[in-house]
Coordinates of all heavy atoms in Angstrom, one line a residue:
N1 N 0.0 -12.9 -8.3 CA -0.7 -14.1 -7.7 C -2.2 -14.0 -8.1 O -2.6 -13.0 -8.6 CB -0.4 -14.2 -6.2 CG -1.1 -13.2 -5.4 OD1 -2.2 -12.7 -5.7 ND2 -0.6 -13.0 -4.2
K2 N -2.9 -15.1 -7.8 CA -4.3 -15.2 -8.2 C -5.1 -14.1 -7.6 O -6.0 -13.5 -8.2 CB -4.8 -16.6 -7.9 CG -6.3 -16.7 -8.3 CD -6.7 -18.1 -8.4 CE -8.2 -18.2 -8.8 NZ -8.9 -17.2 -9.4
I3 N -4.9 -13.8 -6.3 CA -5.8 -12.9 -5.6 C -5.6 -11.5 -6.2 O -6.6 -10.8 -6.6 CB -5.5 -12.8 -4.1 CG1 -5.9 -14.2 -3.5 CG2 -6.2 -11.7 -3.4 CD1 -5.5 -14.4 -2.1
S4 N -4.4 -11.0 -6.4 CA -4.2 -9.7 -7.0 C -4.7 -9.6 -8.4 O -5.2 -8.6 -8.8 CB -2.7 -9.3 -6.9 OG -1.9 -10.1 -7.6
D5 N -4.5 -10.7 -9.2 CA -5.0 -10.7 -10.5 C -6.5 -10.7 -10.6 O -7.1 -10.0 -11.4 CB -4.5 -12.0 -11.3 CG -3.0 -12.0 -11.5 OD1 -2.4 -10.9 -11.5 OD2 -2.5 -13.1 -11.7
D6 N -7.2 -11.3 -9.7 CA -8.6 -11.3 -9.6 C -9.1 -9.8 -9.2 O -10.1 -9.3 -9.7 CB -9.2 -12.3 -8.5 CG -9.1 -13.7 -9.0 OD1 -8.9 -13.9 -10.2 OD2 -9.3 -14.6 -8.2
L7 N -8.4 -9.2 -8.3 CA -8.7 -7.8 -7.9 C -8.6 -6.9 -9.1 O -9.4 -6.0 -9.3 CB -7.8 -7.4 -6.7 CG -8.1 -8.0 -5.4 CD1 -7.1 -7.7 -4.4 CD2 -9.5 -7.6 -4.9
I8 N -7.5 -7.0 -9.8 CA -7.2 -6.2 -11.0 C -8.3 -6.4 -12.0 O -8.8 -5.4 -12.6 CB -5.8 -6.4 -11.5 CG1 -4.8 -5.9 -10.5 CG2 -5.7 -5.8 -12.9 CD1 -3.4 -6.4 -10.8
E9 N -8.7 -7.6 -12.2 CA -9.7 -8.0 -13.2 C -11.1 -7.3 -12.8 O -11.9 -7.0 -13.7 CB -9.9 -9.5 -13.3 CG -10.9 -9.9 -14.4 CD -10.9 -11.5 -14.4 OE1 -9.9 -12.1 -14.3 OE2 -12.0 -12.0 -14.7
N10 N -11.3 -7.2 -11.6 CA -12.6 -6.7 -11.1 C -12.5 -5.3 -10.5 O -13.3 -4.9 -9.6 CB -13.2 -7.6 -10.0 CG -13.6 -8.9 -10.7 OD1 -14.6 -9.0 -11.4 ND2 -12.8 -10.0 -10.5
K11 N -11.5 -4.5 -10.9 CA -11.2 -3.2 -10.3 C -12.3 -2.2 -10.4 O -12.4 -1.3 -9.5 CB -9.9 -2.6 -10.9 CG -10.0 -2.2 -12.3 CD -8.6 -1.7 -12.8 CE -8.7 -1.5 -14.3 NZ -7.4 -1.1 -14.8
K12 N -13.2 -2.4 -11.3 CA -14.3 -1.4 -11.4 C -15.3 -1.5 -10.3 O -16.0 -0.6 -10.0 CB -15.1 -1.6 -12.8 CG -15.8 -2.9 -12.9 CD -16.4 -2.9 -14.3 CE -17.1 -4.3 -14.5 NZ -17.7 -4.4 -15.9
Y13 N -15.2 -2.6 -9.5 CA -16.1 -2.8 -8.4 C -15.4 -2.4 -7.0 O -16.0 -2.5 -6.0 CB -16.5 -4.3 -8.3 CG -17.2 -4.7 -9.5 CD1 -16.6 -5.6 -10.4 CD2 -18.5 -4.3 -9.8 CE1 -17.2 -6.1 -11.5 CE2 -19.1 -4.7 -11.0 CZ -18.5 -5.6 -11.8 OH -19.1 -6.0 -13.0
L14 N -14.1 -2.0 -7.1 CA -13.3 -1.8 -5.9 C -13.3 -0.3 -5.6 O -13.2 0.6 -6.4 CB -11.9 -2.2 -6.1 CG -11.7 -3.7 -6.4 CD1 -10.2 -3.9 -6.7 CD2 -12.2 -4.6 -5.3
K15 N -13.3 0.0 -4.3 CA -13.1 1.3 -3.8 C -11.6 1.4 -3.3 O -11.0 2.5 -3.4 CB -14.0 1.7 -2.6 CG -15.5 1.8 -3.1 CD -16.3 2.3 -1.9 CE -17.8 2.4 -2.3 NZ -18.6 2.9 -1.2
R16 N -11.1 0.4 -2.7 CA -9.8 0.4 -2.1 C -9.3 -1.0 -2.0 O -10.1 -1.9 -1.7 CB -9.8 1.1 -0.8 CG -8.5 1.0 0.0 CD -8.6 1.6 1.4 NE -9.9 1.4 2.0 CZ -10.4 2.2 2.9 NH1 -9.7 3.3 3.3 NH2 -11.5 2.0 3.4
V17 N -8.0 -1.2 -2.0 CA -7.4 -2.5 -1.8 C -6.5 -2.3 -0.5 O -5.7 -1.5 -0.4 CB -6.4 -2.9 -2.9 CG1 -5.7 -4.2 -2.5 CG2 -7.3 -3.2 -4.2
S18 N -6.9 -3.1 0.5 CA -6.1 -3.1 1.8 C -5.2 -4.3 1.8 O -5.7 -5.4 1.7 CB -7.0 -3.1 3.0 OG -7.8 -2.0 3.0
L19 N -3.9 -4.1 1.8 CA -3.0 -5.2 1.6 C -2.8 -6.1 2.8 O -2.4 -7.2 2.7 CB -1.6 -4.6 1.2 CG -1.6 -4.0 -0.2 CD1 -0.2 -3.4 -0.5 CD2 -2.0 -5.0 -1.3
Y20 N -3.1 -5.6 4.0 CA -2.9 -6.4 5.2 C -4.0 -6.3 6.1 O -4.5 -5.2 6.4 CB -1.6 -6.0 5.9 CG -0.4 -6.3 5.1 CD1 0.1 -5.4 4.1 CD2 0.2 -7.5 5.3 CE1 1.2 -5.8 3.3 CE2 1.3 -7.9 4.5 CZ 1.8 -7.0 3.5 OH 2.8 -7.3 2.7
R21 N -4.4 -7.4 6.7 CA -5.4 -7.4 7.7 C -4.8 -7.6 9.1 O -5.1 -6.9 10.1 CB -6.4 -8.6 7.5 CG -7.5 -8.6 8.5 CD -8.6 -9.6 8.2 NE -9.3 -9.8 9.4 CZ -9.6 -11.0 9.9 NH1 -9.3 -12.1 9.2 NH2 -10.2 -11.1 11.0
D22 N -3.8 -8.5 9.2 CA -3.1 -8.8 10.4 C -1.6 -8.7 10.1 O -1.2 -8.9 9.0 CB -3.4 -10.1 11.0 CG -4.9 -10.3 11.3 OD1 -5.4 -9.4 11.9 OD2 -5.5 -11.4 11.0
G23 N -0.8 -8.4 11.1 CA 0.6 -8.3 10.9 C 1.1 -7.0 10.5 O 0.3 -6.1 10.2
E24 N 2.4 -6.8 10.5 CA 3.0 -5.5 10.2 C 3.5 -5.5 8.7 O 4.3 -6.3 8.3 CB 4.2 -5.3 11.1 CG 5.1 -4.1 10.8 CD 4.3 -2.8 10.7 OE1 3.6 -2.5 11.7 OE2 4.3 -2.1 9.7
P25 N 2.8 -4.7 7.9 CA 3.2 -4.7 6.4 C 4.6 -4.3 6.1 O 5.1 -4.7 5.1 CB 2.2 -3.7 5.8 CG 1.7 -2.9 6.9 CD 1.8 -3.7 8.2
L26 N 5.2 -3.5 7.0 CA 6.6 -3.1 6.7 C 7.6 -4.2 6.8 O 8.8 -4.0 6.4 CB 7.0 -1.9 7.6 CG 6.1 -0.6 7.4 CD1 6.5 0.5 8.4 CD2 6.1 -0.1 6.0
T27 N 7.3 -5.3 7.3 CA 8.2 -6.5 7.3 C 8.2 -7.2 5.9 O 9.1 -8.0 5.7 CB 7.8 -7.5 8.3 OG1 6.5 -8.0 8.1 CG2 7.9 -6.9 9.7
D28 N 7.3 -6.9 5.0 CA 7.2 -7.5 3.7 C 8.1 -6.8 2.8 O 8.0 -5.6 2.4 CB 5.7 -7.4 3.2 CG 5.5 -8.1 1.9 OD1 6.5 -8.5 1.3 OD2 4.4 -8.1 1.4
K29 N 9.1 -7.5 2.3 CA 10.1 -7.0 1.4 C 9.6 -6.7 0.0 O 10.2 -6.0 -0.8 CB 11.3 -7.9 1.3 CG 12.1 -8.0 2.6 CD 13.2 -9.0 2.5 CE 13.9 -9.0 3.9 NZ 15.0 -9.9 3.9
K30 N 8.4 -7.2 -0.3 CA 7.8 -7.0 -1.6 C 6.6 -6.0 -1.5 O 5.8 -5.9 -2.5 CB 7.2 -8.3 -2.1 CG 8.3 -9.4 -2.4 CD 7.7 -10.6 -3.0 CE 8.8 -11.6 -3.2 NZ 8.3 -12.9 -3.8
L31 N 6.5 -5.3 -0.4 CA 5.4 -4.3 -0.3 C 5.4 -3.3 -1.4 O 4.3 -3.1 -2.0 CB 5.6 -3.6 1.1 CG 4.5 -2.5 1.4 CD1 3.1 -3.1 1.4 CD2 4.8 -1.8 2.7
S32 N 6.5 -2.7 -1.7 CA 6.5 -1.7 -2.8 C 6.1 -2.3 -4.1 O 5.3 -1.6 -4.9 CB 7.9 -1.0 -2.9 OG 8.1 -0.3 -1.8
S33 N 6.5 -3.5 -4.4 CA 6.2 -4.1 -5.7 C 4.7 -4.5 -5.7 O 4.1 -4.4 -6.8 CB 7.0 -5.3 -6.0 OG 6.8 -6.3 -5.1
K34 N 4.1 -4.8 -4.6 CA 2.7 -5.1 -4.6 C 1.9 -3.8 -4.8 O 0.9 -3.8 -5.6 CB 2.3 -5.7 -3.2 CG 2.9 -7.1 -3.0 CD 2.5 -7.7 -1.6 CE 3.1 -9.1 -1.5 NZ 2.9 -9.6 -0.1
I35 N 2.3 -2.8 -4.2 CA 1.6 -1.5 -4.4 C 1.7 -1.0 -5.8 O 0.8 -0.6 -6.5 CB 2.2 -0.4 -3.4 CG1 1.8 -0.8 -2.0 CG2 1.6 1.0 -3.8 CD1 2.6 0.1 -0.9
A36 N 3.0 -1.2 -6.4 CA 3.2 -0.8 -7.8 C 2.4 -1.6 -8.7 O 1.9 -1.0 -9.7 CB 4.7 -1.0 -8.1
K37 N 2.2 -2.9 -8.5 CA 1.4 -3.7 -9.4 C 0.0 -3.2 -9.5 O -0.6 -3.0 -10.6 CB 1.3 -5.2 -8.9 CG 0.5 -6.1 -9.7 CD 0.6 -7.5 -9.3 CE -0.2 -8.4 -10.2 NZ -0.1 -9.8 -9.8
F38 N -0.6 -2.8 -8.3 CA -2.0 -2.3 -8.4 C -2.0 -0.9 -9.1 O -2.9 -0.6 -9.9 CB -2.6 -2.2 -7.0 CG -2.9 -3.5 -6.4 CD1 -2.3 -4.0 -5.2 CD2 -3.8 -4.3 -7.0 CE1 -2.6 -5.2 -4.7 CE2 -4.2 -5.6 -6.5 CZ -3.6 -6.0 -5.3
K39 N -1.0 -0.1 -8.7 CA -1.0 1.3 -9.3 C -0.8 1.2 -10.8 O -1.5 1.9 -11.6 CB 0.2 2.0 -8.7 CG 0.3 3.4 -9.3 CD 1.5 4.2 -8.7 CE 1.6 5.6 -9.3 NZ 2.9 6.2 -8.9
D40 N 0.1 0.3 -11.3 CA 0.3 0.1 -12.7 C -1.0 -0.4 -13.5 O -1.1 -0.1 -14.7 CB 1.4 -0.9 -13.0 CG 2.8 -0.3 -12.6 OD1 2.9 0.9 -12.4 OD2 3.7 -1.2 -12.5
Q41 N -1.9 -1.0 -12.7 CA -3.1 -1.5 -13.3 C -4.3 -0.6 -13.1 O -5.4 -1.0 -13.3 CB -3.4 -2.9 -12.8 CG -2.4 -3.9 -13.2 CD -2.3 -4.1 -14.7 OE1 -3.3 -4.2 -15.4 NE2 -1.1 -4.2 -15.2
G42 N -4.0 0.6 -12.6 CA -5.1 1.6 -12.4 C -5.8 1.6 -11.1 O -6.8 2.2 -10.9
I43 N -5.2 0.9 -10.1 CA -5.8 0.9 -8.8 C -4.9 1.8 -7.9 O -3.9 1.3 -7.4 CB -5.9 -0.5 -8.2 CG1 -6.8 -1.4 -9.1 CG2 -6.5 -0.5 -6.8 CD1 -6.8 -2.9 -8.7
D44 N -5.4 3.0 -7.7 CA -4.5 4.0 -7.0 C -4.8 4.0 -5.5 O -4.0 4.5 -4.7 CB -4.7 5.4 -7.5 CG -4.1 5.5 -8.9 OD1 -3.1 4.9 -9.1 OD2 -4.6 6.3 -9.7
N45 N -6.0 3.5 -5.1 CA -6.4 3.6 -3.6 C -6.0 2.2 -3.0 O -6.8 1.3 -2.9 CB -7.8 3.8 -3.5 CG -8.2 4.3 -2.1 OD1 -7.4 4.2 -1.2 ND2 -9.4 4.7 -1.9
T46 N -4.7 2.2 -2.5 CA -4.2 1.0 -1.9 C -3.8 1.4 -0.5 O -3.2 2.5 -0.3 CB -2.9 0.5 -2.6 OG1 -3.3 0.2 -4.0 CG2 -2.4 -0.8 -2.0
S47 N -4.2 0.7 0.5 CA -3.9 1.1 1.9 C -3.2 0.0 2.7 O -3.2 -1.2 2.4 CB -5.2 1.4 2.6 OG -6.0 0.3 2.8
I48 N -2.5 0.5 3.7 CA -1.8 -0.4 4.7 C -2.1 0.2 6.1 O -2.3 1.4 6.2 CB -0.3 -0.6 4.5 CG1 0.4 0.8 4.6 CG2 0.0 -1.3 3.2 CD1 1.9 0.7 4.6
A49 N -2.1 -0.6 7.1 CA -2.1 -0.1 8.5 C -0.9 -0.5 9.2 O -0.5 -1.7 9.2 CB -3.4 -0.6 9.2
T50 N -0.2 0.4 9.7 CA 1.1 0.1 10.3 C 1.3 1.0 11.6 O 0.7 2.1 11.7 CB 2.3 0.4 9.4 OG1 3.5 0.2 10.0 CG2 2.3 1.9 8.8
N51 N 2.1 0.5 12.5 CA 2.4 1.2 13.7 C 3.7 2.1 13.5 O 4.1 2.8 14.4 CB 2.6 0.3 14.9 CG 3.8 -0.6 14.8 OD1 4.7 -0.4 14.0 ND2 3.8 -1.6 15.7
V52 N 4.2 2.0 12.3 CA 5.4 2.8 11.8 C 6.7 2.5 12.6 O 7.7 3.2 12.3 CB 5.1 4.3 11.6 CG1 4.0 4.5 10.6 CG2 4.9 5.0 12.9
S53 N 6.7 1.6 13.5 CA 8.0 1.4 14.2 C 9.1 0.9 13.3 O 10.3 1.1 13.7 CB 7.7 0.3 15.4 OG 7.4 -0.9 14.8
L54 N 8.8 0.3 12.2 CA 9.9 -0.1 11.3 C 10.1 0.8 10.1 O 10.9 0.6 9.2 CB 9.5 -1.5 10.7 CG 9.3 -2.6 11.7 CD1 8.9 -3.9 11.1 CD2 10.6 -2.9 12.5
L55 N 9.4 1.9 10.1 CA 9.5 2.9 9.0 C 10.8 3.7 9.2 O 11.1 4.3 10.2 CB 8.3 3.8 9.0 CG 8.2 4.7 7.7 CD1 8.0 3.8 6.5 CD2 7.0 5.6 7.9
N56 N 11.6 3.7 8.1 CA 12.7 4.6 8.1 C 12.7 5.4 6.8 O 11.7 5.3 6.0 CB 14.0 3.8 8.1 CG 14.1 2.7 7.0 OD1 13.6 3.0 5.9 ND2 14.7 1.6 7.3
E57 N 13.6 6.3 6.6 CA 13.6 7.2 5.5 C 13.6 6.5 4.1 O 12.8 6.8 3.2 CB 14.8 8.2 5.5 CG 14.7 9.3 4.5 CD 15.7 10.3 4.6 OE1 16.5 10.3 5.6 OE2 15.8 11.2 3.7
K58 N 14.4 5.4 4.0 CA 14.5 4.7 2.8 C 13.1 4.0 2.5 O 12.6 4.2 1.3 CB 15.5 3.6 2.9 CG 15.7 2.8 1.6 CD 16.7 1.7 1.8 CE 16.7 0.8 0.6 NZ 17.6 -0.4 0.8
K59 N 12.5 3.4 3.4 CA 11.2 2.7 3.2 C 10.1 3.7 2.9 O 9.3 3.5 2.1 CB 10.9 1.8 4.4 CG 9.6 1.1 4.3 CD 9.6 0.1 3.2 CE 10.2 -1.2 3.6 NZ 10.0 -2.3 2.6
S60 N 10.2 4.8 3.6 CA 9.2 5.9 3.4 C 9.2 6.4 2.0 O 8.2 6.5 1.3 CB 9.4 7.0 4.4 OG 8.5 8.1 4.2
K61 N 10.4 6.7 1.5 CA 10.5 7.2 0.1 C 10.1 6.1 -0.9 O 9.4 6.4 -1.9 CB 11.9 7.6 -0.1 CG 12.3 8.9 0.6 CD 13.7 9.4 0.3 CE 13.9 10.7 1.0 NZ 15.3 11.2 0.8
E62 N 10.5 4.9 -0.6 CA 10.1 3.8 -1.5 C 8.6 3.6 -1.6 O 8.0 3.5 -2.7 CB 10.7 2.5 -0.9 CG 10.6 1.3 -1.8 CD 11.3 0.1 -1.0 OE1 12.5 0.1 -0.9 OE2 10.6 -0.8 -0.6
I63 N 7.9 3.7 -0.5 CA 6.5 3.5 -0.5 C 5.8 4.8 -1.1 O 4.8 4.7 -1.9 CB 5.9 3.3 0.9 CG1 6.4 1.9 1.4 CG2 4.4 3.3 1.0 CD1 6.2 1.6 2.9
S64 N 6.3 6.0 -0.7 CA 5.6 7.2 -1.2 C 5.7 7.4 -2.7 O 4.8 8.0 -3.3 CB 6.1 8.4 -0.4 OG 7.5 8.6 -0.7
R65 N 6.7 6.8 -3.3 CA 6.8 6.9 -4.8 C 5.7 6.1 -5.4 O 5.3 6.4 -6.5 CB 8.2 6.4 -5.2 CG 9.3 7.3 -5.1 CD 10.5 6.9 -5.9 NE 10.9 5.5 -5.6 CZ 11.8 5.2 -4.7 NH1 12.4 6.1 -4.0 NH2 12.2 4.0 -4.5
M66 N 5.2 5.0 -4.7 CA 4.2 4.1 -5.3 C 2.8 4.7 -5.1 O 1.9 4.3 -5.8 CB 4.3 2.8 -4.6 CG 5.6 2.0 -4.9 SD 5.9 1.7 -6.6 CE 7.4 2.6 -6.9
I67 N 2.6 5.5 -4.1 CA 1.3 6.0 -3.7 C 1.2 7.5 -4.0 O 1.9 8.2 -3.3 CB 1.0 5.7 -2.2 CG1 1.2 4.2 -1.9 CG2 -0.4 6.1 -1.9 CD1 1.0 3.8 -0.5
P68 N 0.3 7.8 -4.9 CA 0.2 9.3 -5.2 C -0.3 10.1 -4.1 O 0.1 11.2 -3.9 CB -0.7 9.3 -6.4 CG -1.4 8.0 -6.4 CD -0.5 7.0 -5.7
K69 N -1.2 9.6 -3.3 CA -1.8 10.3 -2.2 C -1.9 9.4 -1.0 O -2.7 8.4 -1.1 CB -3.1 10.9 -2.6 CG -3.8 11.7 -1.5 CD -5.1 12.2 -1.9 CE -5.8 12.9 -0.8 NZ -7.1 13.3 -1.2
M70 N -1.2 9.6 0.0 CA -1.3 8.7 1.2 C -2.3 9.4 2.2 O -2.2 10.6 2.4 CB 0.0 8.5 1.9 CG 1.0 7.7 1.1 SD 2.4 7.1 2.0 CE 1.7 5.9 3.1
S71 N -3.1 8.6 2.7 CA -4.1 9.1 3.7 C -3.7 8.5 5.1 O -3.2 7.4 5.2 CB -5.5 8.8 3.4 OG -5.7 7.4 3.3
R72 N -3.9 9.3 6.1 CA -3.7 8.8 7.5 C -4.7 9.5 8.4 O -5.1 10.6 8.1 CB -2.3 9.0 7.9 CG -1.8 10.4 7.9 CD -0.3 10.5 8.1 NE 0.1 11.9 8.2 CZ 0.5 12.6 7.1 NH1 0.5 12.0 5.9 NH2 0.9 13.8 7.2
P73 N -4.9 9.0 9.5 CA -5.8 9.7 10.5 C -5.3 11.0 10.8 O -4.0 11.2 10.9 CB -5.8 8.8 11.7 CG -5.4 7.4 11.2 CD -4.5 7.7 10.0
K74 N -6.1 12.0 11.0 CA -5.7 13.4 11.3 C -4.8 13.5 12.6 O -4.0 14.3 12.7 CB -6.9 14.3 11.5 CG -7.6 14.5 10.2 CD -8.8 15.5 10.3 CE -9.5 15.7 9.0 NZ -10.5 16.6 9.0
N75 N -5.0 12.6 13.5 CA -4.2 12.7 14.8 C -2.9 11.8 14.7 O -2.2 11.7 15.7 CB -5.1 12.3 16.0 CG -5.6 10.9 15.9 OD1 -5.4 10.2 14.9 ND2 -6.2 10.4 17.0
S76 N -2.6 11.3 13.6 CA -1.4 10.4 13.5 C -0.2 11.3 13.2 O -0.3 12.5 12.8 CB -1.5 9.4 12.3 OG -1.6 10.1 11.1
A77 N 1.0 10.8 13.5 CA 2.2 11.5 13.3 C 2.5 11.6 11.8 O 2.2 10.8 11.0 CB 3.4 10.8 14.0
K78 N 3.2 12.7 11.4 CA 3.6 12.8 10.0 C 4.9 11.9 9.9 O 5.9 12.2 10.5 CB 3.9 14.2 9.7 CG 2.7 15.1 9.6 CD 3.0 16.5 9.2 CE 1.7 17.3 9.1 NZ 1.9 18.7 8.6
F79 N 4.8 10.9 9.1 CA 5.9 10.0 9.0 C 6.6 9.9 7.7 O 7.5 9.2 7.5 CB 5.5 8.6 9.5 CG 4.4 8.0 8.7 CD1 4.6 7.3 7.5 CD2 3.1 8.1 9.1 CE1 3.6 6.7 6.8 CE2 2.0 7.6 8.3 CZ 2.3 6.9 7.2
L80 N 6.1 10.6 6.7 CA 6.8 10.6 5.4 C 7.9 11.7 5.4 O 7.7 12.8 5.8 CB 5.8 10.9 4.3 CG 4.8 9.8 4.1 CD1 3.8 10.2 3.0 CD2 5.4 8.5 3.7
F81 N 9.1 11.3 5.1 CA 10.2 12.2 5.1 C 10.2 13.0 3.9 O 9.9 12.7 2.8 CB 11.5 11.3 5.1 CG 11.6 10.5 6.4 CD1 11.1 9.2 6.4 CD2 12.2 11.0 7.5 CE1 11.2 8.5 7.6 CE2 12.2 10.3 8.7 CZ 11.7 9.0 8.7

């Protein structure tokens, strides 16, 4: 889409792409493909904020393959399987 294409075009000015401001990102069936699009274009620092209530092993593995290094607050639960 236009927003992601604009971000990719201007990636040298970006520190991070946060995919969601409001709402639960794990409800998005295209989440992995969105992360992959940025990764394929050289944007490795992509973030989401989630309460992980919808995270299961399948979704965790799907997302973790797209993100070389996931960061989370030190006091958060380890949720990658």
Side-chain angles (χ1 to χ4, degrees):
N1 73 26
K2 179 162 178 22
I3 294 172
S4 62
D5 292 341
D6 286 346
L7 290 170
I8 291 165
E9 184 178 324
N10 294 286
K11 66 184 174 185
K12 65 182 177 184
Y13 303 107
L14 301 176
K15 290 184 179 181
R16 172 183 35 207
V17 173
S18 297
L19 294 177
Y20 292 87
R21 181 174 162 226
D22 298 318
E24 175 55 55
L26 297 178
T27 62
D28 184 353
K29 294 179 181 179
K30 296 181 181 180
L31 177 62
S32 293
S33 65
K34 290 177 182 178
I35 295 169
K37 180 177 182 176
F38 289 120
K39 181 181 177 190
D40 291 345
Q41 295 298 319
I43 300 173
D44 289 329
N45 195 350
T46 305
S47 68
I48 61 171
T50 177
N51 66 16
V52 301
S53 63
L54 299 176
L55 191 65
N56 57 33
E57 186 172 356
K58 179 182 175 190
K59 180 63 85 173
S60 177
K61 287 180 180 180
E62 185 178 293
I63 293 170
S64 65
R65 280 195 308 267
M66 298 299 121
I67 303 173
K69 179 182 177 184
M70 292 191 73
S71 63
R72 60 186 182 274
K74 290 182 180 182
N75 61 352
S76 67
K78 290 183 179 180
F79 59 88
L80 294 177
F81 297 91

